[in-house]
Amino acid sequence: MVPVGLQWMNGTSTMMDFLEEPLPGVGTYEDFNTIDWVREKSRDRDRHREITSRSKESTWALIHSVSDAFSGWLLMLLIGLLAGSLAGLIDISAHWMTDLKEGVCLAGFWFNHEHCCWKSNTTFTDRDKCPEWKSWSQLILGHGEGAFAYILNYFMYVVWALLFSLLAVLLVKGFAPYACGSGIPEIKTILSGFIIRGYLGKWTLIIKTITLVLAVSSGLSLGKEGPLVHVACCCGNILCHLFTKYRKNEAKRREVLSAAAAAGVSVAFGAPIGGVLFSLEEVSYYFPLKTLWRSFFAALVAAFTLRSINPFGNSRLVLFYVEFHMPWHLLELVPFILLGIFGGLWGAFFIRSNIAWCRRRKTTKLGKYPVLEVFVVTAITALLAFPNEYTRMSTSELISELFNDCGILDSSKLCEYVNDFNSTKGDDLPDRAAGPGVYTAMWQLALALIMKVFITIFTFGMKVPSGLFIPSMAVGAIAGRLLGVAMEQLAYYHHDWAIFSGWCSQGADCITPGLYAMVGAAACLGGVTRMTVSLVVIMFELTGGLEYIVPLMAAAMTSKWVADAIGREGIYDAHIRLNGYPFLEAKEEFSHKTLAMDVMRPRRNDPPLTVITQDSMTVEDVESIINETTYSGYPVVVSRESQRLVGFVLRRDLIISIENARKKQDGIVSTSVIYFTDHSPPLPPSSPSMLKLRSILDLSPFTVTDQTPMEIVVDIFRKLGLRQCLVTHNGKLLGIITKKDVLKHIAQLANQDPDSILFN
C-alpha cells in the first residue's frame, strides 16, 4: 500500500506537498507577537480576487460576492447596537449607584436622585431635595440635621465607596486582569499589529462592563470614557467571529477595531464625528478611506442606540450643553492662551508623576498588593471628597455645573451674585459683584482643584477600569472657572482700564466664566493626551458651542506646544513605553545617520545567524533549532556555504506543520529530510520519506542592503507594518532586523533604556 502523499518515481521517494490544503493554525500568530501586515493584506487580495472570479460562474457565487461586500456594513451596525446598548446600561447603572452613596428613593429604590425627583407629585423649592428622596440619616435616624446625621451620611458615603471599589478590583483580579486601566494604550498597540490574546475577549468585556460601573460609582477620580473605547473594541472583536473574512484575517480585523474605537468615543461623549477623528488621529495605525465611512456609521448607530436607551441621562446628543449669551472678544485670547499654558504644564506634570508612580508600582512590592492599593486610595478619596460638595458630586455633574452660564433662576452657589436686574434684558445678566456664595464656591473649587490634581496621579493605572478624559477635563474646568470669575470681577470693578474700555462698559455682560471653564477643560485634556483637531471637534459636539472653536483651538494648540516642549509623549504613548509594547510611532521623525548594518543581528562577536537550509536539514535538525532558540522565524538559505537567500519561514508554522506531518503522513521520522524547493533533492532509495514545506515559505521576504540608511528602514517598518526585514550584501544573507531591534535602536539614540522594549 502506498503511504498517503508518497509517490515512487524512478526508484526514489518524493513527497507531494501535504500542505496544499491549509492546516488549522498555519498562518496565525503566537501571543505577544506582531502580525505581518504585508502577508495579511496579500491574503485578503487573493481572497477577494477568488470571490470576484467565482461570482461570474453562478448565481449563488454572485450572491456570496454581494453578501461578502455588504458584511462590513452589517458588522458596523451590530457593533454600534451592542456598544450603544452596553454604554446605556453602564450610564444608567453608574448614575444610580453613585447616588446610592448618599441616599435612596422611597418611590422605587431603582430610581437615581434626579429621576426620583422627576417622579415626585409634590411641590418642593430646592431642585436637589424632594420628599421621595431620603438621605441615609433621614432613613435611619428620621432626620437629616445635626452633627450625628452628618457623621452618619459621611460614614455611609465612605462605606459604599469602599464596597464598590473593592468589588471592582476583586472581580478584575479574579476573572479578567486585562479589564483594568483605560485600555487605550493597549488598543493603540493592538491596532498597530500586536497580538494580546484575551485583551478583547468575552470575559474581559463582561468584567470590564461590570467593574466600570463599580469604579465610577465609587467616586474615584476616574472616568468611564477611555474604558468605553475598550468595551466597544471588545464588542468589535467578538462580533468579528461571525464573519469569515474578519475572523481569519488580522489586518481586516484591525479595520473593524478602528471603527469600534470610534463608536466607543461616540458613546462616551455623544460625539460621532469626534469619535472618528479620535480613532484616526490618536489610536489607528491603518485607516483606509472605507474604514472612515464605516467608522462614522458605527459611531452614529452607537450614539443613537445609547440615546434611545437612556434619553434623559448623559446620553443626550449634547453631553454638556451650553448656551452662552455673549460672544467672546479678541482680547480674551490672552487668558485663553494662559489656560492653554496651564493645561500643557498640568499635562506634562501629570504624565511624569503618573509614570513615575506606575514604574514604582511595577518595580516594588506595591504592585503585589493591588487590592490594598485600591482600598487606600478609595478611602483617602472618599474622606477628602465628602466635606466638599464639588468633589462629592460626580465629576460629570461638576463639569456640567462649571460650564453653566448663570441665569436668573440658577440656585447654584456659583451664581450667587449681588443682584441688579435694572439692566437685565431677557436672559442676559450683566457682570455683577460676586456675592458670598461665589466666594465660598471659589475656595471650595480651589481645594477641589488641588485634590484632583494629586489624587488622579495615584488613581490612573490602578487595577480597576479607569479613564482619564473626565478627570483631566474637571481639572481644566475648575481652573478655567476660577480664572473666568476673576476676569469677570476684574472687568466689573475696573471697566475703565484700557484692556476693557473698548468692549466692556459698566453694566454690560462681557465675561462668561462658563466659557473659560470649557476652554480650560479642553486645554488640560489636550495637555495630557496631545489631541488637537479631534479634541476641538469633541468639545464642540459635547457642548454644541460651534462659535467657540477658535478659543478651543488656541488653548488646545498652546497646551500641546507647552507639553511637547517638556516631554514629547502623551499619556498613552508613555504607558505604551512603560509596558514595553512594540509600538512604532508614525508621527516621530528619525533623523540619525545610522545604517542597517549598525542595527542588524548578529552583531560583532555574536554567534552566527540561525538559518535553515532549503533541502539538506532533517526534521531532527529543524526541531533542535526550534527548541534551542526563541526566534519567531528563520531565514531559509540555499546552503550554509553560499548563504544565498531563498525565503523566510515562521516558527509557529514550522511547529504546526511538522507535528501534523508526524501524525498524518506515513514515514515521517526524525531523519526525514525537509525541503522547501519545488522538486525533492536526490536521495538513496532507502531514505525515509521527505517532508515538503514549500507552501509555508515566504518567498518574497522584505530585504535591504547593509548600507541602507536606518531612516529609510524605519520608514519601511512604519509604512508597511513589517515584523522583520533581512539584510543582504551582494545577494548574500548577512543578518536580520526585527521591529524590536528598530525600537531598541530608537530608544538608545533617545538616551532611554533599550531593554524596556519587551516584545517583538
Side-chain angles (χ1 to χ4, degrees), residues 370-670:
V371 178
L372 179 61
E373 182 188 10
V374 170
F375 178 86
V376 171
V377 173
T378 305
I380 293 172
T381 304
L383 288 169
L384 294 176
F386 186 83
N388 189 337
E389 64 177 286
Y390 292 112
T391 50
R392 189 192 316 158
M393 66 175 63
S394 73
T395 314
S396 294
E397 289 179 30
L398 171 62
I399 294 172
S400 184
E401 184 152 341
L402 293 171
F403 283 7
N404 182 47
D405 185 23
C406 292
I408 297 174
L409 300 178
D410 279 311
S411 58
S412 168
K413 278 197 287 190
L414 284 169
C415 298
E416 286 187 18
Y417 289 87
V418 176
N419 290 321
D420 177 16
F421 299 125
N422 294 331
S423 57
T424 300
K425 297 179 181 178
D427 290 331
D428 294 345
L429 290 176
D431 289 343
R432 297 158 289 160
V438 173
Y439 288 114
T440 302
M442 289 302 99
W443 70 259
Q444 286 182 325
L445 284 175
L447 292 176
L449 178 63
I450 295 169
M451 175 192 164
K452 287 194 174 291
V453 161
F454 289 102
I455 205 71
T456 307
I457 292 170
F458 302 101
T459 305
F460 187 71
M462 291 197 308
K463 297 302 180 184
V464 294
S466 53
L468 194 58
F469 281 48
I470 289 295
S472 299
M473 289 177 65
V475 168
I478 294 171
R481 188 77 186 205
L482 290 172
L483 180 61
V485 172
M487 286 291 295
E488 181 187 47
Q489 295 306 298
L490 198 64
Y492 176 78
Y493 287 108
H494 304 284
H495 58 271
D496 54 342
W497 284 8
I499 57 172
F500 298 118
S501 60
W503 58 283
C504 190
S505 58
Q506 187 174 13
D509 183 11
C510 308
I511 307 294
T512 307
L515 173 58
Y516 285 71
M518 188 170 76
V519 172
C524 282
L525 185 54
V528 171
T529 63
R530 311 298 163 84
M531 295 158 54
T532 51
V533 177
S534 58
L535 170 62
V536 173
V537 174
I538 286 173
M539 291 301 297
F540 151 62
E541 290 186 278
L542 268 177
T543 60
L546 180 62
E547 62 270 31
Y548 304 109
I549 283 182
V550 173
L552 290 171
M553 182 58 83
M557 292 305 300
T558 303
S559 69
K560 177 176 168 56
W561 290 334
V562 170
D564 281 347
I566 300 172
R568 296 288 295 175
E569 292 179 321
I571 186 65
Y572 302 129
D573 293 328
H575 272 269
I576 286 172
R577 185 163 59 84
L578 177 68
N579 293 322
Y581 295 138
F583 182 79
L584 193 55
E585 179 58 67
K587 300 170 188 173
E588 296 291 332
E589 290 188 7
F590 185 89
S591 56
H592 301 277
K593 294 182 178 180
T594 51
L595 301 176
M597 62 184 297
D598 301 324
V599 182
M600 74 175 191
R601 289 180 295 159
R603 310 278 174 84
R604 290 177 184 175
N605 304 321
D606 283 353
L609 184 66
T610 303
V611 297
I612 297 174
T613 57
Q614 67 174 357
D615 57 8
S616 61
M617 296 183 75
T618 63
V619 170
E620 185 178 20
D621 295 333
V622 174
E623 287 181 330
S624 296
I625 289 175
I626 291 171
N627 293 330
E628 292 169 5
T629 63
T630 57
Y631 306 131
S632 58
Y634 307 93
V636 177
V637 296
V638 173
S639 66
R640 293 188 184 277
E641 294 75 25
S642 73
Q643 290 290 307
R644 295 284 180 181
L645 183 64
V646 176
F648 192 85
V649 63
L650 293 178
R651 172 195 186 92
R652 181 179 175 85
D653 291 354
L654 272 176
I655 294 171
I656 293 172
S657 301
I658 292 173
E659 287 180 353
N660 189 76
R662 284 185 179 275
K663 292 177 183 177
K664 297 184 178 180
Q665 187 175 320
D666 294 338
I668 296 298
V669 293
S670 295

Side-chain angles (χ1 to χ4, degrees), residues 131-147:
E132 285 77 7
W133 181 264
K134 298 293 182 183
S135 66
W136 289 110
S137 62
Q138 289 173 323
L139 202 64
I140 296 171
L141 302 176
H143 62 87
E145 304 298 329

